[in-house]
Amino acid sequence: MDPHLLRTFVTVARTGSFSAAAAQLGYTQSAVSQQIAALESDLGLPLLHRRPVTPTEAGARLLDHAEPLLLRLRAARADVLRTAATPAHRLTLAATPLALNARLAVRLARARAAQPRLEITVRTCAREEVARQVTGGEAAMGLTDGIAAPSDPLPPPDAGPITIVGVSEESLVVALPADHPLADRPGLRLADLVDARWLQTTLCPVQRLRHLAGDGFPVALDYTGDDVHTVLNLVAAGHGLTLLPASVLATPAPATSVLATPAGRGVPLSAPRLVHRVELLHATLPAGPAARLAADLS
């Protein structure tokens, strides 16, 4: 199958529109229609219903295979080009919203001081997108984060050959309103909070909590953004609880182990033993500024 046709098929299936796919790919709508027809002819099966534009059963199966295949092709191309590239002093670092914590920000500052010519662009995106940008060559490296048991790796991304190194772990706190009945506790167990109302966020998916502690954790509000201050404001206003790295609520309340900010409180998570883990992702890095930066961040 022609990868160009696969790319067009994926774009049409994801946008649900031939015209939207044409605009995104820079083709005419007629060219998109011809490419889909050519792919269907090659396979001898209809792949898309036309009204509305949705994948057929065969199209849905192809979609499951097509995106990983295209990603691996991009990764292979980027890897080959990377071996012949002149070491660049302008790099992009892709990062999930909570990955570049205070500790790693200091390491980044030291790395820049050691390489004065180095220009770094930090680009925030979702975890899956970080891996895609790294393997596709759009970013020299990436930082991703998540909740894990101490020293346990995060679930690996399906993004082709990639090196993953753990670079930071810190404790977690339960973020709740300052006037919450549990706000002055020295610690909280996740199992005792299964009936509490929770925020559904990309920073702390409720599905992850259910995987760790069983059923429960009703969703009070679904927030699809990635701004930490918005999450804290929602918590402070009583829209639900969430888990956050301790450094997000880093001002200690007087004479207690509770962390506090004007937006709310963070009570240490006492059980189960979980941490906020940050991992560095990169493909093969030839000797040069990018390799030195990866070593400094590690």
Side-chain angles (χ1 to χ4, degrees), residues 184-207:
D184 293 324
R185 293 280 186 91
L188 289 169
R189 299 190 313 162
L190 198 57
D192 294 335
L193 300 170
V194 293
D195 295 324
R197 302 195 315 153
W198 287 79
L199 287 177
Q200 170 72 289
T201 72
T202 57
L203 309 178
C204 176
V206 167
Q207 296 94 315

Side-chain angles (χ1 to χ4, degrees), residues 36-288:
I36 296 300
L39 185 59
E40 291 178 324
S41 176
D42 179 32
L43 292 172
L45 291 167
L47 300 174
L48 292 168
H49 300 294
R50 272 23 182 203
R51 292 182 182 172
V53 178
T54 57
T56 63
E57 184 177 353
R61 294 293 295 273
L62 179 60
L63 197 59
D64 290 339
H65 293 286
E67 291 186 308
L69 283 172
L70 291 173
L71 182 58
R72 287 180 177 273
L73 284 172
R74 286 175 53 207
R77 175 184 173 83
D79 195 43
V80 170
L81 293 176
R82 203 179 284 118
T83 61
T86 302
H89 286 84
R90 181 175 297 171
L91 305 175
T92 295
L93 171 65
T96 48
L98 289 178
L100 195 56
N101 57 32
R103 183 182 305 172
L104 289 172
V106 169
R107 291 186 200 170
L108 183 61
R110 290 173 180 164
R112 295 182 63 203
Q115 299 189 69
R117 294 178 56 201
L118 187 60
E119 297 180 23
I120 300 174
T121 297
V122 177
R123 180 183 299 151
T124 302
C125 47
R127 187 169 186 266
E128 296 78 10
E129 181 62 20
V130 170
R132 280 195 290 267
Q133 291 194 16
V134 171
T135 55
E138 299 168 48
M141 62 198 70
L143 291 169
T144 63
D145 72 293
I147 297 171
S151 301
D152 276 3
L154 299 173
D158 183 14
I162 195 168
T163 298
I164 303 176
V165 182
V167 294
S168 175
E169 287 186 358
E170 66 172 303
S171 58
L172 288 162
V173 296
V174 181
L176 34 68
D179 59 355
H180 194 281
L182 303 177
D184 293 324
R185 293 280 186 91
L188 289 169
R189 299 190 313 162
L190 198 57
D192 294 335
L193 300 170
V194 293
D195 295 324
R197 302 195 315 153
W198 287 79
L199 287 177
Q200 170 72 289
T201 72
T202 57
L203 309 178
C204 176
V206 167
Q207 296 94 315
R208 180 62 172 154
L209 302 182
R210 291 171 181 157
H211 174 75
L212 294 165
D215 294 336
F217 304 98
V219 174
L221 181 70
D222 191 347
Y223 172 60
T224 60
D226 57 19
D227 181 72
V228 180
H229 294 291
T230 300
V231 170
L232 289 174
N233 288 335
L234 290 171
V235 168
H239 292 287
L241 312 184
T242 192
L243 292 182
L244 290 170
S247 59
V248 173
L249 296 101
T251 304
T256 74
S257 61
V258 175
L259 303 176
T261 71
R265 293 288 181 94
V267 179
L269 181 68
S270 57
R273 291 188 63 217
L274 297 171
V275 295
H276 177 254
R277 179 178 172 88
V278 181
E279 295 179 340
L280 177 69
L281 279 59
H282 62 81
T284 304
L285 294 175

